[in-house]
Amino acid sequence: MALAPFHLAIPVDDIDAARRFYGGVLGFAEGRSDARWIDWNFGGHQVVTHRVGDGPSGAPRDGVAGTNPVDGHEVPVPHFGLVLPVEEFKELAARMTEAGTDFVIQPYVRFEGEPGEQWTMFFLDPAGNAMEFKAFADISRLFAV
């Protein structure tokens, strides 16, 4: 079953920093853009970075409203990201480490040996938006209880 792509618009405070991060570090293809926004091909989904604020680069902010404890870690909320195949997750984790990413939660295996076993990592984009990328040992267990 093909999944419908989602659309997500997120605030950023520096459109050039967003371009370097989403296009350069994460490696997502840039779509339509303007001086204040950029469409990204986020694994087949449309994520749009919108510059907000009145200053030259927008108003600085922190996109994390709070945290929730999960598997011994404080997970930032809200957050968004992608579920990747395991090898793509490992490649991204290596690329993020090489880029000097300050991880909120370092890449690790969560719920090891359980139905929802998954690799996961959390980090912030340059504007403070929390992101999680993960990969399941068995993708058919994505919604397993």
Side-chain angles (χ1 to χ4, degrees):
M1 172 174 102
L3 298 176
F6 69 80
H7 166 81
L8 176 67
I10 59 169
V12 299
D13 56 2
D14 183 328
I15 203 72
D16 293 325
R19 180 173 276 119
R20 287 188 300 275
F21 181 77
Y22 286 89
V25 177
L26 291 177
F28 293 125
E30 184 174 329
R32 292 177 301 275
S33 66
D34 189 68
R36 295 187 61 96
W37 56 267
I38 304 171
D39 285 347
W40 298 103
N41 180 344
F42 199 85
H45 304 283
Q46 184 188 47
V47 170
V48 185
T49 49
H50 284 273
R51 191 182 84 174
V52 296
D54 297 326
S57 65
R61 48 167 206 76
D62 180 357
V64 177
T67 62
N68 254 338
V70 179
D71 193 35
H73 296 275
E74 290 298 319
V75 170
V77 178
H79 65 263
F80 70 101
L82 288 173
V83 177
L84 302 170
V86 173
E87 285 308 311
E88 286 183 35
F89 174 88
K90 290 178 179 179
E91 290 168 8
L92 178 61
R95 194 165 63 246
M96 298 306 291
T97 300
E98 290 169 11
T101 300
D102 184 16
F103 290 97
V104 174
I105 299 174
Q106 294 279 337
Y108 82 105
V109 178
R110 172 191 287 167
F111 309 130
E112 193 165 6
E114 297 179 35
E117 180 177 312
Q118 61 193 264
W119 286 258
T120 185
M121 63 180 152
F122 287 81
F123 49 85
L124 304 179
D125 76 1
N129 296 298
M131 304 179 78
E132 177 186 20
F133 286 81
K134 59 172 63 179
F136 281 78
D138 178 356
I139 193 65
S140 72
R141 305 305 304 251
L142 181 64
F143 299 107
V145 291

